[in-house]
Amino acid sequence: MGGDGNSAYGHRTFTRSRSHFDDRITADGRDGWPVRAGRYRLVVSRACPWASRAVISRRLLGLEDALSLAVADPVQDDRSWRFTLDPDGRDPVLGIRFLSEAYDRRETGCPGGVSVPAIVDVPSGRLVTNDYQRITLDLATEWTALHRPGAPDLYPAARRAEIDEVMAEVYEDVNNGVYRAGFATRQREYEEACAAVFRRLEALGERLAGQRYLVGDTLTEADIRLFTTLVRFDAVYHGHFKCNRWKLAEHPVLWAYARDLFQTPGFGDTVDFDHIKRHYYQVHTGINPTGIVPLGPDLGGWLTEHHREELGGRPFGDGTPPGPVPPGERVAPRGQPA
């Protein structure tokens, strides 16, 4: 998610920028970036759905000790994502005030703006990659030597074709579709995008009516990518982005599916609703010029029974759930349902 041009949203046609830095961190280091414990730092915003994918994957795979985490303030300024949540307003590992500093060390004035998730090389302070589509796939497949014992296989080789197909549909109509609706500048543009969002959600609901997860009987990358949009749906996309044909809480299947994931270790314990709401409503001044953050919706329902276990399935396959959240990464209580 970019860190500039937010006031223009709602005044110009929305187009998602391609990741400008698509180097990969691999087991064999073929791009010059070998997997090494402690070498890299993952920079995220808990508000951003694209960054939240990486937070969830990192936790499920048990990479907390191998890949450190920097959490940016959910409200940016004109200089990009900032580290004002940290003492003295600097990231304690990278020593920088703004993520743009790591980008500038890689390339000054790069196109596409400053976005999260981003992985930074700690020794040089240079950005390695902001390829949000690839980062999590590489965490699942290239970082295996550093996975925790019992880590799930989030991108199983035998299922990749089906996972890729599902993820492509989810990306086009749901992950990116809510943005096309929310930042539309013409009525027809909005209506087409919004209709596509709900057509795809209905189709996904039909798919999930008889199976616990999107592909197979275990959690995969596809579930992570759908979850990060669903968990934001009623809080911001329904009102702020005008995706309001119905609320997630009004769709029995998708609401139960989302609650099932939320209550699974590694998902809900990474979500900060306070960060999510403040970012969307305060940063997107092009569509919410007052910056007022709504009080609702009531978030208590996220912890209610979902009964999805009746469909069977094994969340972690032959593996095990992740352990407790590291103390320094726990979400503040105000960011969770009461």
Side-chain angles (χ1 to χ4, degrees):
M1 183 181 291
D4 61 352
N6 295 291
S7 62
Y9 290 145
H11 299 287
R12 68 184 182 195
T13 299
F14 173 74
T15 303
R16 184 163 300 283
S17 300
R18 295 175 61 87
S19 298
H20 182 62
F21 300 100
D22 57 1
D23 289 7
R24 294 177 60 189
I25 301 170
T26 58
D28 62 7
R30 56 187 176 271
D31 282 0
W33 306 105
V35 170
R36 294 287 187 275
R39 176 169 175 177
Y40 306 101
R41 189 154 175 82
L42 174 64
V43 181
V44 303
S45 164
R46 293 193 186 276
C48 171
W50 319 97
S52 292
R53 297 175 178 179
V55 178
I56 293 170
S57 296
R58 172 181 173 273
R59 175 144 162 67
L60 292 177
L61 298 171
L63 291 170
E64 291 99 328
D65 291 336
L67 177 63
S68 64
L69 183 70
V71 178
D73 192 308
V75 180
Q76 310 120 293
D77 67 15
D78 293 338
R79 293 165 290 184
S80 84
W81 297 100
R82 52 189 183 164
F83 297 105
T84 47
L85 302 179
D86 295 301
D88 300 322
R90 290 185 182 274
D91 179 80
V93 174
L94 300 174
I96 57 178
R97 293 185 181 276
F98 300 93
L99 179 56
S100 58
E101 296 174 55
Y103 274 68
D104 287 342
R105 288 175 185 171
R106 174 71 183 269
E107 179 182 329
T108 303
C110 63
V114 177
S115 63
V116 289
I119 297 183
V120 178
D121 177 51
V122 174
S124 67
R126 298 170 62 212
L127 177 77
V128 176
T129 177
N130 66 346
D131 190 349
Y132 61 92
Q133 296 284 52
R134 188 72 231 180
I135 285 174
T136 49
L137 298 181
D138 283 344
L139 292 181
T141 59
E142 297 289 338
W143 290 64
T144 53
L146 298 176
H147 288 181
R148 66 178 174 85
D153 187 353
L154 298 174
Y155 196 47
R159 294 278 192 173
R160 285 180 190 173
E162 185 179 3
I163 292 171
D164 289 346
E165 180 181 2
V166 172
M167 291 194 305
E169 294 171 346
V170 168
Y171 171 82
E172 180 65 25
D173 294 333
V174 181
N175 299 150
N176 206 40
V178 293
Y179 283 84
R180 290 201 312 274
F183 295 144
T185 59
R186 296 182 297 276
Q187 184 69 30
R188 183 174 180 180
E189 177 187 356
Y190 157 73
E191 290 181 3
E192 290 176 352
C194 187
V197 168
F198 285 94
R199 277 198 306 270
R200 182 62 60 192
L201 288 177
E202 292 284 6
L204 290 166
E206 292 175 6
R207 181 186 186 96
L208 289 164
Q211 61 190 64
R212 191 171 180 183
Y213 303 110
L214 283 171
V215 180
D217 67 347
T218 63
L219 291 166
T220 69
E221 175 78 12
D223 297 293
I224 295 173
R225 295 191 181 194
L226 179 56
F227 173 79
T228 57
T229 295
L230 294 184
V231 79
R232 289 161 173 77
F233 203 87
D234 288 1
V236 290
Y237 300 146
H238 181 271
H240 185 59
F241 278 178
K242 306 180 185 70
C243 293
N244 59 1
R245 292 187 63 182
W246 38 262
K247 293 180 180 179
L248 177 67
E250 295 169 349
H251 192 290
V253 172
L254 292 178
W255 177 223
Y257 166 78
R259 298 198 322 275
D260 185 9
L261 294 182
F262 187 91
Q263 294 170 34
T264 299
F267 285 82
D269 51 27
T270 70
V271 175
D272 192 317
F273 285 108
D274 174 65
H275 279 208
I276 290 168
K277 289 172 62 176
R278 285 198 291 123
H279 171 78
Y280 282 89
Y281 284 102
Q282 291 183 337
V283 172
H284 298 158
T285 54
I287 55 176
N288 188 42
T290 65
I292 292 174
V293 180
L295 293 175
D298 179 5
L299 301 172
W302 282 102
L303 299 180
T304 59
E305 291 186 15
H306 52 76
H307 304 292
R308 293 283 293 178
E309 67 278 357
E310 296 171 7
L311 294 172
R314 302 173 301 146
F316 302 98
D318 295 327
T320 57
V325 179
E329 296 182 12
R330 291 173 184 162
V331 176
R334 65 177 179 168
Q336 293 286 22

